[in-house]
Amino acid sequence: NIRKLCDLFGNPQNHLKMIHIGGTNGKGSTSNMLASVLQEAGYKTGLYNSPHLIDFTERIKIDGENCDKEFVYEFTQKLRNLPQEISPSFFEFTTIMAFQYFYQKKVDYAIIEVGLGGRLDSTNIINPIITAITNVALDHQDVLGKTIEEITTEKAGIIKSHIPIISGAEDSVVRNI
């Protein structure tokens, strides 16, 4: 679905400098700290993370400001016009919404936090300039796997050839994978 959605909206993710952040714990903190550093350095910085605490627009920010509610409303109206063969999940639709918002607002960098796992996550459609995996622990075992090795393999699915990877994982099994 995410490929079809991105195609439908002109693949905005292909026109952005993105940083992809995954892991079990710490990816939200890392994403927010990195956004703050880039913003402080003078870059117009987009941040896509989840979940939101109070308002949906917290998921999509530019320079610390929540996404414009009018943009969310207008973009949501486009759901009515999607071809029937595309039936996006909430996260898939939110992901393309973030890409489109960052593209329209011409951010210098977009920090994209993985939703769940990595390999099959809808954010994994991006071609980032750098990837980070904060750490890996036993989580979402019903979806990602029963062992630390299986879960690490899923989360490592965001690693791409010739794209630098930074890892905060201290476990040697995780680091080796």
Side-chain angles (χ1 to χ4, degrees), residues 20-36:
H20 207 186
I21 300 180
T24 300
N25 295 310
K27 63 184 182 248
S29 298
T30 300
S31 298
N32 279 284
M33 284 187 279
L34 181 55
S36 179

Side-chain angles (χ1 to χ4, degrees), residues 23-24 135-139 141 144-156 169-175 177:
T24 300
N135 67 22
V136 179
L138 296 175
D139 73 326
Q141 289 176 282
L144 301 177
K146 300 292 182 210
T147 67
I148 195 72
E149 292 85 358
E150 291 173 328
I151 293 169
T152 300
T153 299
E154 288 300 313
K155 292 187 185 279
E170 295 179 1
D171 183 319
S172 61
V173 171
V174 171
R175 290 181 68 84
I177 292 173

Side-chain angles (χ1 to χ4, degrees), residues 70-129:
E70 186 64 29
F71 173 84
V72 172
Y73 173 78
E74 290 172 9
F75 198 83
T76 303
Q77 296 309 303
K78 296 176 183 181
L79 274 175
R80 297 177 182 178
N81 300 323
L82 290 178
Q84 286 209 348
E85 68 270 8
I86 302 176
S87 181
S89 68
F90 173 79
F91 191 75
E92 289 167 337
F93 191 74
T94 304
T95 299
I96 185 59
M97 182 186 298
F99 295 165
Q100 189 68 28
Y101 190 66
F102 296 151
Y103 175 68
Q104 284 183 4
K105 297 293 185 178
K106 297 178 176 44
V107 299
D108 296 313
Y109 293 98
I111 298 157
I112 308 298
E113 183 185 318
V114 172
L116 172 69
R119 182 177 64 91
L120 299 176
D121 192 82
S122 60
T123 65
N124 203 22
I125 193 170
I126 68 173
N127 188 28
I129 59 170

